[in-house]
Amino acid sequence: MKISRRRVLQGGAIAATAPLFQITSAGLLIDAANAQTAPADTRWRHGLSLFGDIKYPAGFKHFDYVNPDAPKGGIIRQIANGTFDSFNVAVAGVKGNIAAGVNQIYDTLTVPSLDEISTEYGLLAEAVSYPDDFSSAIYRLRAEAKWHDGKPVTPEDVIFSLDAFKTHNPRMSGYYLHVVKAEKVGDRDVKFTFDGPGNRELPQIVGQLVVLPKHWWEGTDEQGRKRDIGTTTLEKPLGCGAYRIKDFVPGRSISYERVPEYWGSKLNVNIGQDNFAELRFEYFRDSIVAIEAFKADQVDYRAENSAKNWATAYDFPAVKDNRVLLEEFETRNSGIMQAFAFNIRRDKFKDARLRRAFNMAFDFEEMNKQIFFGQYTRIKSYFEGTELASSGLPQGAELAILETVRAKVPPEVFTTEYTNPVNGAADAVRNNLREAVRLMKEAGYEVRDRKMTNVKTGEALNVEFLSYDPNGERYVLFYKPSLERLGVGVTARTVDDAQYENRLRQWDFDIITGLWPESLSPGNEQRYFWGSQAADQAGSRNYIGIKDKAVDTLIERVIFAKNRDDLVAATKALDRVLLWNHFVVPQWTYNKQRLARWDRFGRPPQLPKYGASAFPTVWWYDVDKATRIGRRS
């Protein structure tokens, strides 16, 4: 299950027989006309949890981690990278570059709780119901839910939105692959039908759907031109969320203003959030320039992902006198795989032994010492940082699952614990490079005229590392000499955002830095990370091009897990098979969020367990602090 900006719905059972209105045992007021559309044994729920109980009862006042009395007002200026040329979220990641923050103008059917695992409560939807076999789900929209033009949010909008994402967005098409139909079954009820029973995640993930206004997208713009949901646009779209677009300069900046008449401002899931009067994003194409803008107080905060910058870039007067604060927040809600990812659609990367050789040549230990200030640890799992990460040898339920695909996976899966090679010392480096040469020889290569050469074709092995961030060049250039000692020709190429996205969509690359964040409850998103069907879908996150029957089988075991123990075992099995195929050279991670901010903001005394800093979601503009350090409100 992926993490979305807004997320729902385990309550009590009701009988749909009351003549005028009925109060469910979940505390929901439901009109009789809608209630009569549902079966008599329908159980309406105010909250959903993938596995286990939910924390907040029906009618709860607000989440525990917010300040319900947080002041409203002020501007928060944020950093965005690259550029933008579209507001159409339906084609995000496929066409154009979507503007930062644009999801703020929309609501989803459900919203996540940040102090629970995979648990959600109603936003646009007031209730949800599904049968015991998880074969469908009915969502009931709130009667008060409105678009910014005053028109109600309807089941037709929900149906239109699902169709739009499945038609125009390969990533969402894969995510909702098993949702075969959405239909209106009541004035405010929409039913999602799935292609079979047992996929317990589906009733919940349809609640993450971003709902778009059908009437607006099927209308015409100010010039009388018909709008097209399948193309990019810089026309300000109609939304229903807490914010709307205020103004923008294409590719340079965009700001959002809080909607005074926002329909959901008093909902319990929104109390204490959406506290800023304006959200502003300033675009930067270079991270160094962005840091200098932060130092000059042109933006309010920076989430720092560079160990070098964190160690060296924030030594300036405002830090010393505490006008700028540096703070780290532990990440508990997700794991990650970040790695040099091979495009195995290309013949030169098809042999796993060659890919393993690249890992042998990667001297992480020295790199960590010299350019990362020793802050990182090496990633050794696709679910690094979670209980889902495999370790040791498979046993118990995990081993039983792996036995079903034994003939289709590398034998080491059963006999050897996966580890990354350890370098750092001169002897270790020499030994690992010798092993890399041996692996390359087994894969059909030998050194000719100091170049690693394919024995059959006579073609020298040359690779290009593609990136959009100039910062990435330094660690590629650190890696380069080790590969060149093996006779591999290495080029580091940095292109702009638009060119990078286009090359990814066309699978036109050798090696990129791939990033796959993982929630604590993985599910249907695994298909478009590693599934065979996604390998040929432009815009999917199967950058590697994996088409592996065992991987597909294990993905289905993850998705159709019947309980938490089954999910953990299936995920560990999937992790182990991915690792032993050597699809990537794992990079590094740091389990804390680094945040530098000007001290003009307040926050609740207890931040959510699974939200890291939750900045700026539950924070607010503090006028007294801002006055002390100097700056407009």
XYZ file of all heavy atoms in Angstrom, residues 447-479:
276
model
N 39.101 -9.126 -20.790
C 39.804 -7.860 -21.019
C 40.637 -7.965 -22.285
O 41.474 -8.868 -22.427
C 40.694 -7.502 -19.816
C 41.481 -6.208 -20.104
C 39.860 -7.348 -18.557
N 40.383 -7.037 -23.234
C 41.176 -6.922 -24.460
C 41.613 -5.473 -24.611
O 40.771 -4.573 -24.599
C 40.350 -7.331 -25.682
C 39.893 -8.792 -25.697
C 39.031 -9.077 -26.906
N 38.546 -10.462 -26.915
C 37.682 -10.942 -27.829
N 37.240 -10.129 -28.808
N 37.270 -12.189 -27.760
N 42.898 -5.274 -24.716
C 43.442 -3.912 -24.826
C 42.926 -3.033 -23.691
O 42.517 -1.877 -23.882
C 43.072 -3.285 -26.182
C 43.660 -4.035 -27.354
O 44.775 -4.572 -27.199
O 42.996 -4.089 -28.414
N 42.894 -3.606 -22.494
C 42.492 -2.921 -21.264
C 41.020 -2.516 -21.262
O 40.599 -1.685 -20.466
C 43.374 -1.691 -21.008
C 44.857 -2.050 -20.884
C 45.652 -1.011 -20.168
N 45.602 0.294 -20.819
C 46.270 1.361 -20.400
N 47.024 1.265 -19.315
N 46.193 2.494 -21.041
N 40.227 -3.137 -22.135
C 38.789 -2.886 -22.153
C 38.033 -4.193 -21.921
O 38.350 -5.215 -22.542
C 38.372 -2.279 -23.489
C 38.955 -0.902 -23.757
C 38.477 -0.356 -25.112
C 39.053 1.033 -25.377
N 38.610 1.577 -26.688
N 37.039 -4.139 -21.036
C 36.200 -5.299 -20.808
C 35.335 -5.505 -22.050
O 34.576 -4.614 -22.436
C 35.331 -5.109 -19.563
C 34.581 -6.359 -19.147
S 35.666 -7.757 -18.694
C 36.411 -7.164 -17.169
N 35.481 -6.677 -22.665
C 34.917 -6.889 -23.997
C 34.051 -8.144 -24.036
O 34.402 -9.178 -23.463
C 36.053 -7.035 -25.034
O 36.914 -5.892 -24.948
C 35.487 -7.146 -26.443
N 32.922 -8.041 -24.732
C 32.048 -9.193 -24.946
C 32.740 -10.159 -25.903
O 33.069 -9.796 -27.043
C 30.708 -8.725 -25.517
C 29.689 -9.838 -25.615
O 29.932 -10.878 -26.229
N 28.517 -9.604 -25.047
N 32.979 -11.391 -25.464
C 33.738 -12.359 -26.255
C 33.034 -12.669 -27.574
O 33.677 -12.797 -28.625
C 33.956 -13.651 -25.441
C 34.594 -14.728 -26.311
C 34.808 -13.368 -24.209
N 31.723 -12.768 -27.564
C 30.979 -13.141 -28.766
C 30.870 -12.000 -29.764
O 31.019 -12.202 -30.972
C 29.576 -13.615 -28.388
C 29.547 -14.962 -27.678
C 28.105 -15.388 -27.410
C 28.062 -16.740 -26.722
N 26.660 -17.168 -26.452
N 30.629 -10.803 -29.295
C 30.367 -9.687 -30.219
C 31.572 -8.793 -30.445
O 31.594 -8.017 -31.404
C 29.216 -8.817 -29.680
O 29.649 -8.165 -28.459
C 27.980 -9.648 -29.415
N 32.561 -8.874 -29.552
C 33.713 -7.991 -29.660
C 33.428 -6.566 -29.219
O 34.254 -5.672 -29.403
N 32.273 -6.337 -28.614
C 31.870 -4.996 -28.200
C 32.399 -4.690 -26.802
O 32.238 -5.478 -25.862
C 30.347 -4.875 -28.219
C 29.834 -3.495 -27.852
C 28.317 -3.417 -27.893
O 27.678 -4.441 -28.220
O 27.776 -2.351 -27.585
N 33.046 -3.524 -26.675
C 33.543 -3.095 -25.373
C 32.374 -2.732 -24.466
O 31.340 -2.224 -24.921
C 34.482 -1.909 -25.532
N 32.515 -2.995 -23.167
C 31.458 -2.701 -22.194
C 31.578 -1.252 -21.747
O 32.496 -0.878 -21.015
C 31.575 -3.646 -20.990
C 30.524 -3.460 -19.889
C 29.113 -3.647 -20.442
C 30.780 -4.424 -18.729
N 30.633 -0.449 -22.212
C 30.555 0.958 -21.823
C 29.190 1.217 -21.197
O 28.174 0.694 -21.668
C 30.736 1.872 -23.037
C 32.109 1.732 -23.652
O 33.127 1.940 -22.992
N 32.151 1.364 -24.931
N 29.162 2.028 -20.137
C 27.898 2.317 -19.465
C 27.769 3.813 -19.227
O 28.775 4.517 -19.032
C 27.783 1.564 -18.123
C 27.822 0.048 -18.349
C 28.853 1.989 -17.143
N 26.531 4.271 -19.242
C 26.231 5.670 -18.946
C 25.339 5.733 -17.712
O 24.296 5.084 -17.654
C 25.516 6.334 -20.123
C 25.152 7.790 -19.855
C 24.335 8.393 -20.987
O 23.089 8.176 -21.008
O 24.928 9.100 -21.834
N 25.764 6.516 -16.730
C 24.940 6.792 -15.553
C 24.157 8.064 -15.833
O 24.737 9.148 -15.986
C 25.818 6.978 -14.317
C 26.435 5.710 -13.792
C 27.569 5.175 -14.400
C 25.889 5.039 -12.711
C 28.152 4.012 -13.920
C 26.461 3.871 -12.235
C 27.598 3.357 -12.833
N 22.841 7.952 -15.889
C 21.980 9.076 -16.237
C 21.363 9.671 -14.981
O 20.871 8.946 -14.105
C 20.868 8.611 -17.181
C 19.881 9.679 -17.666
C 20.593 10.692 -18.569
C 18.703 9.034 -18.391
N 21.365 11.014 -14.908
C 20.800 11.699 -13.747
C 20.255 13.054 -14.157
O 20.598 13.584 -15.226
C 21.873 11.875 -12.663
O 21.383 12.622 -11.568
N 19.387 13.608 -13.309
C 18.890 14.978 -13.515
C 19.442 15.926 -12.446
O 19.211 17.134 -12.500
C 17.353 15.006 -13.464
C 16.783 14.568 -12.144
C 16.555 15.481 -11.117
C 16.486 13.235 -11.906
C 16.057 15.079 -9.899
C 15.983 12.823 -10.692
C 15.765 13.744 -9.694
O 15.279 13.327 -8.481
N 20.156 15.389 -11.473
C 20.659 16.182 -10.353
C 22.178 16.252 -10.412
O 22.854 15.227 -10.268
C 20.212 15.549 -9.030
C 20.638 16.366 -7.807
O 21.264 17.420 -7.987
O 20.323 15.934 -6.680
N 22.752 17.439 -10.618
C 24.217 17.561 -10.670
C 24.900 17.031 -9.412
O 26.053 16.603 -9.458
C 24.438 19.073 -10.819
C 23.175 19.589 -11.434
C 22.073 18.733 -10.866
N 24.191 17.042 -8.290
C 24.757 16.521 -7.050
C 25.136 15.054 -7.160
O 26.040 14.576 -6.488
C 23.751 16.684 -5.904
C 24.208 17.730 -4.911
O 25.317 18.224 -4.988
N 23.339 18.076 -3.986
N 24.399 14.318 -8.018
C 24.653 12.897 -8.159
C 25.959 12.582 -8.857
O 26.470 11.457 -8.742
N 26.515 13.549 -9.565
C 27.741 13.301 -10.307
C 28.901 12.925 -9.390
O 29.748 12.106 -9.751
C 28.120 14.533 -11.134
C 27.163 14.811 -12.285
C 27.590 16.014 -13.090
O 28.647 16.603 -12.764
O 26.882 16.374 -14.047
N 28.926 13.491 -8.189
C 30.094 13.273 -7.323
C 30.211 11.819 -6.886
O 31.319 11.290 -6.790
C 30.061 14.218 -6.122
C 28.892 14.053 -5.204
C 28.757 15.259 -4.266
N 27.637 15.080 -3.364
C 27.750 14.687 -2.107
N 28.944 14.431 -1.608
N 26.683 14.548 -1.350
N 29.087 11.149 -6.627
C 29.241 9.750 -6.221
C 29.391 8.821 -7.414
O 29.998 7.756 -7.300
C 28.144 9.293 -5.259
C 26.710 9.448 -5.687
C 26.132 8.581 -6.583
C 25.914 10.439 -5.124
C 24.796 8.702 -6.947
C 24.580 10.575 -5.477
C 24.028 9.696 -6.386
O 22.718 9.822 -6.740
N 28.893 9.214 -8.590
C 29.178 8.423 -9.791
C 30.656 8.537 -10.131
O 31.310 7.541 -10.479
C 28.310 8.883 -10.975
C 28.741 8.186 -12.259
C 26.833 8.591 -10.697
N 31.201 9.743 -10.031
C 32.621 9.950 -10.336
C 33.520 9.236 -9.319
O 34.642 8.840 -9.638
C 32.941 11.440 -10.378
C 32.266 12.210 -11.530
C 32.593 13.705 -11.456
C 32.688 11.643 -12.883
N 33.027 9.068 -8.095
C 33.772 8.299 -7.102
C 33.767 6.812 -7.467
O 34.762 6.108 -7.270
C 33.148 8.510 -5.717
C 33.998 8.015 -4.591
C 34.786 8.886 -3.861
C 34.031 6.667 -4.252
C 35.588 8.426 -2.819
C 34.822 6.194 -3.218
C 35.607 7.075 -2.498
N 32.656 6.343 -7.985
C 32.475 4.937 -8.379
C 33.249 4.617 -9.661
O 33.760 3.511 -9.854
C 30.981 4.712 -8.567
C 30.488 3.313 -8.790
C 31.272 2.182 -8.566
C 29.179 3.100 -9.213
C 30.780 0.899 -8.758
C 28.673 1.825 -9.407
C 29.465 0.735 -9.190
O 28.974 -0.524 -9.384
